[in-house]
């Protein structure tokens, strides 16, 4: 039978039915759907649209459905079009007539938008909790290594000495902004769109503000077409999640570099590394690599929804059913990565000796040599040029800035005195960088303690 023939006599082809159904994935919205429906029944009752007996039956019936889904006694039926239909049909089959009154003054269009908003708000709170834990653990490590000197890099070339604690705190600050972004996104997400109905609002005397209050919403959407049309809140959350993954992937990349034989700055606990099937010496940073790899997947989720929404006419279109799998996938991925990452950071140890040795190579105190010359009266540009010459002299002669004699220094400029050694001492280079946000152990320690207190 042709599909259109089936449609003309009101029978849907089973293939079309299963193609159309979203239960297999939107069953995750059952809690939000039931909560929203209980609140909706309360509002209908308060406004005199349904009577108290019906409201009571609906509330009781929905609570029972919630419990049964949670215990596994009731399994969402994949042959239903979506979770909203499944819950409403189950309710009616359990409580009869009253169940049929629940869908007054609403539509699945505002219902799904509301459910999804509630889901996003819960998820934002969960992800912020995971970020807080990661910040705490990163700050704790930063405090432990507040005075561990390592080479800081630009272009992945040794640049200036920094402390490992300083480097770690940089990530903690990024995660802190991730929380800020999510908190901001939450405000725009936690809005009541229920009552927008199909698209035009309703002729019933509803009380949207009352319903919003029961949903703990931060506001009521002011345009019913907007309420059912947009999924910008999904896109905004996916953007926040993408930024989190971008941060995690950079941290991952550094973990991978730092644990490599060439660097050997960091050791990861065995519990978060894997071995090779043929190379017995291997300890691979798989967790970090997976976090780096999964970043592409979350970006893909963002782009899937952005592209799906592009050019859609207002108001609801079935295309929008496609928002959920991407959203769920991205949120699950971020939660899994944040969880494993916090454990990995907690168990990581730094080889401060190796870091210190690496800091002695690469002339990372050349800036400090130039700054010293500035203090001796040279203009910075001139000092910079002179230092460039000294570094190439060292490279040619297999020397370091520390091993040059004062006589050798004096051949470059008469302003050199033995204060130069104090100026280029790596420890001094780090300890004297007391500018706000700089790498000095005292600044790093202060920042780490601040973060640990805030995110305890
Ligand atoms: N399952 C649909 C979705 O996720 C729910 C809304 C359906 N509305 C409709 N008019 N077909 O978007």
């Amino acid at each position: 039978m042709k599909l259109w023939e089936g449609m003309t006599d009101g029978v849907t082809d089973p293939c079309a039915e299963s193609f159309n159904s979203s239960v297999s994935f939107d069953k995750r919205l059952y809690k939000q759907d039931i909560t929203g429906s209980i609140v909706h029944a309360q509002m209908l009752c308060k406004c005199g649209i349904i009577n108290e007996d019906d409201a009571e039956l609906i509330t009781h019936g929905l609570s029972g459905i919630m419990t049964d889904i949670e215990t596994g006694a009731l399994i969402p039926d994949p042959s239903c079009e979506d979770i909203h239909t499944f819950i409403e049909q189950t309710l009616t089959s359990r409580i009869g007539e009253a169940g049929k009154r629940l869908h007054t003054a609403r539509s699945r269009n505002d219902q799904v938008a509301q459910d999804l908003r509630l889901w996003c708000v819960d998820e934002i709170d969960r992800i912020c909790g995971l970020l807080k834990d990661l910040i705490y653990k990163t700050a704790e490590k930063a405090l432990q290594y507040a005075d561990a000197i390592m080479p800081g890099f630009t272009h992945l070339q040794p640049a200036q000495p920094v402390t490992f604690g300083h480097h770690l705190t940089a990530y903690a600050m990024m995660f802190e902004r991730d929380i800020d972004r999510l908190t901001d996104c939450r405000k725009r997400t936690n809005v009541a769109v229920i009552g927008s109905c199909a698209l035009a609002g309703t002729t019933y005397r509803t009380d949207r503000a009352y319903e919003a209050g029961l949903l703990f919403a931060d506001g009521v959407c002011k345009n019913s077409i907007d309420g059912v049309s947009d999924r910008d809140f999904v896109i905004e959350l996916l953007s926040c999640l993408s930024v989190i993954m971008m941060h995690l992937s950079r941290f991952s990349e550094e973990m991978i570099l730092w644990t490599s034989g060439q660097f050997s700055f960091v050791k990861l606990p065995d519990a978060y590394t894997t071995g090779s099937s043929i190379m017995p010496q291997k300890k691979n940073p798989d967790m970090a690599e997976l976090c780096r790899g999964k970043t592409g997947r979350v970006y893909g989720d963002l782009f899937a929804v952005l592209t799906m929404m592009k050019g859609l006419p207002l108001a609801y279109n079935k295309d929008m059913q496609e928002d959920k799998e991407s959203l769920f996938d991205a949120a699950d991925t971020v939660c899994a990565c944040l969880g494993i990452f916090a454990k990995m950071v907690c168990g990581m140890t730094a080889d401060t000796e190796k870091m210190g040795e690496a800091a002695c190579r690469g002339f990372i105190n050349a800036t400090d040599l130039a700054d010293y010359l500035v203090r001796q009266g040279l203009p910075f540009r001139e000092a910079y040029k002179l230092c460039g010459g000294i570094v190439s002299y060292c490279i040619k002669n297999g020397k370091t800035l520390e091993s040059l004699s004062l006589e050798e220094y004096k051949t470059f400029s008469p302003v050199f005195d033995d204060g130069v050694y104090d100026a280029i001492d790596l420890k001094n280079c780090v300890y004297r960088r007391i500018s706000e946000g700089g790498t000095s152990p005292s600044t790093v320690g202060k920042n780490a303690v601040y973060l640990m207190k805030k995110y305890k």
Side-chain angles (χ1 to χ4, degrees), residues 105-136:
R106 76 171 187 187
S107 135
R108 267 185 311 157
N109 298 347
D110 54 346
Q111 194 181 349
V112 69
Q114 190 64 62
D115 290 359
L116 204 55
R117 282 175 183 270
L118 293 174
W119 189 87
C120 286
V121 167
D122 287 347
E123 210 58 14
I124 287 171
D125 293 345
R126 187 155 79 106
I127 296 167
C128 282
L130 289 166
L131 280 166
K132 283 178 187 165
D133 185 47
L134 179 57
I135 294 173
Y136 183 85

Side-chain angles (χ1 to χ4, degrees), residues 22 26 81-82 84 108-109 112 231 316-318 320-321 323-324:
S22 51
D26 69 12
E81 193 183 328
D82 50 33
H84 325 288
R108 267 185 311 157
N109 298 347
V112 69
R231 292 293 181 271
Y316 178 80
N317 301 272
K318 190 77 173 197
M320 285 145 80
Q321 180 164 288
D323 57 3
K324 283 163 216 66

